[in-house]
Amino acid sequence: MQKVRFVNPQKQYQDHKDEFIAAFDDVLSRGAIVMQKDLTEFEERFASFCGVKHAIGVNSGTSAIWLGLRAAGVKPGDDVLTVAHTFIATISEIYLIGAQPILLDVGYDYNMDVSLLEKALTPKTTAIEPVHLNGRLCDMEMLMDFAKRKGLLVVEDAAQALGASMRMADGMVKKAGSFGNAGAFSLYWAKAFGGWGNNGMLVTNDDTIADKARFMRYNGEDRQTRKFFYHSHNLLMDNLHAALLNVKMNYFPQWLERRRQIAARYQEGLAGIKQVQTPQWNDDRFTDIYTNYVIKAQRRDELKKYLDENSVETLISWPSPTYDEPLFTDPKLNAEYGGKPRLVAVSGDTDTLPETEKLCTEVISLPMYPELTDEEAGYVIEKVKEFYG
Ligand SMILES: Cc1ncc(COP(=O)(O)O)c(C=O)c1O
C-alpha cells in the first residue's frame, strides 16, 4: 500500500483540473480581480447553502471570526465565553478586539459543555463564541436558549462545520452559522470545503451586521460613497479564489456524502476495538460533516507512531491545551495579554480543564477526504486493529 495521505489536494485538483483551469483563465482574461461577479455569485450560493440572508467573503477563517465579533458588537472590555479545546484563532480574535475570553471545558462531543454557561457568566459578558469542532455542532438548542435569556450575542466559530446541521425542538433543521448573530467559516484548503489557499466567509441574517461587515472587510469603506466609516483591515476574498470555490461548490454536496460514507466505514471497522472510541454519539438531532474523523485512542502516541511506520498519516489536534501555549505561560507575553484566561470546569473555576486535558492525550485524527478510497480506509482500519492485537 502506498502512503495513505492525511489530506490530498492533488487528487482533487487532478479530478477537476479542466474546470479549475477554465475558471482561472476566464477570471484573468476578464481582468476581474476584486469585488467582481464571481465573488457575488459565490457569496449568494454560500448563503443559500447555509440558509442565511448574507455571506461576506474574506481571506481566512481567522478574519471571519474577528469580523463577526466586531460587526456583531463585541467591544474592548467585554467578556466572551468560549472553549479552550480549539484552534488558537478562536481565542486570539477575542483578545485582538480588546475583549477577554473565558474558557469553558468541553463535554462528551468535544464541544463546549453548555451546562457550564451559567457558572461562567460575568456582568461583563456580552457574547458566546461556540466552536463546532470536527464538523459537529455544539448543542445550539441549549446555547441559544441561554443566550436569549441573558441577552447575549452569539458568534459561531463554524470554521470546521460548513453543512453540519441540528434538528431543533420545533422540528426545524438548521445549519452551522445560521443560529447566532453571525457565523464564521474557514475555507482553508485542508478543510472539508476549502479553496486553493486561505479563504473564509462570514454569514448572518442581520442586515445591520452584514452592512457593517461589508465595510469592515475593506478598511471600513463604503464602496458606493467611497467614505470610510470604521478603522479596520483589508480582509477581502479575492475574486479569483471565489471563482475557484464556485467550481468546488458544484461538488460539495456529493463530497459531504462521501465523507459520511467513509465515516460509516471507519465506524463499522473500528467498532469492536475496546481501546478506541469512535465519534458515534447516538443523537439523531445532529448531522455531522466529519471535517476531521477524530477517535479517542488508548496509548494514542504509540498508535500514531505505529500508523506512521505503516504509511498512514494522522494528525493530533491538539496535544496540549491552548492555555498552555507560550503566549499564556511566558511571563513577559502573559503580562501583555492580561494574564491567563479564566477557566471554568464542572468543579467551578480551576487552573486546568480536566476534560480538555484528557482529550489532548487521547485524540487522533484519521485520514478523511472525499477522494480517500475504500481500500485506503480499509487499510487504515486494518492497521489500527493490528496495533491493538
Ligand atoms: C476551530 C477553528 N477556528 C478558526 C480557524 C481559523 O481559520 P483559518 O485557518 O482559515 O484562518 C480554524 C482553522 O484551522 C479552526 O479550526
Side-chain angles (χ1 to χ4, degrees), residues 60-62 65 86-87 89-90 131 133 157 159-160 186 188 191 199:
S60 72
T62 305
I65 294 172
T86 182
F87 182 59
T90 310
V131 179
L133 205 66
D157 179 342
Q160 300 191 2
S186 167
Y188 173 67
K191 291 283 192 276
N199 296 277

Side-chain angles (χ1 to χ4, degrees), residues 295-336:
I295 59 170
K296 283 190 200 173
Q298 288 176 24
R299 293 163 48 220
R300 190 269 318 269
D301 294 341
E302 284 172 64
L303 172 65
K304 177 164 178 50
K305 186 162 173 281
Y306 188 78
L307 293 176
D308 280 350
E309 286 164 1
N310 284 279
S311 305
V312 176
E313 287 183 346
T314 57
L315 185 75
I316 292 175
S317 299
W318 294 267
S320 62
T322 37
Y323 51 80
D324 281 347
E325 292 298 330
L327 67 108
F328 293 121
T329 55
D330 178 323
K332 269 194 264 144
L333 299 170
N334 185 325
E336 196 176 324

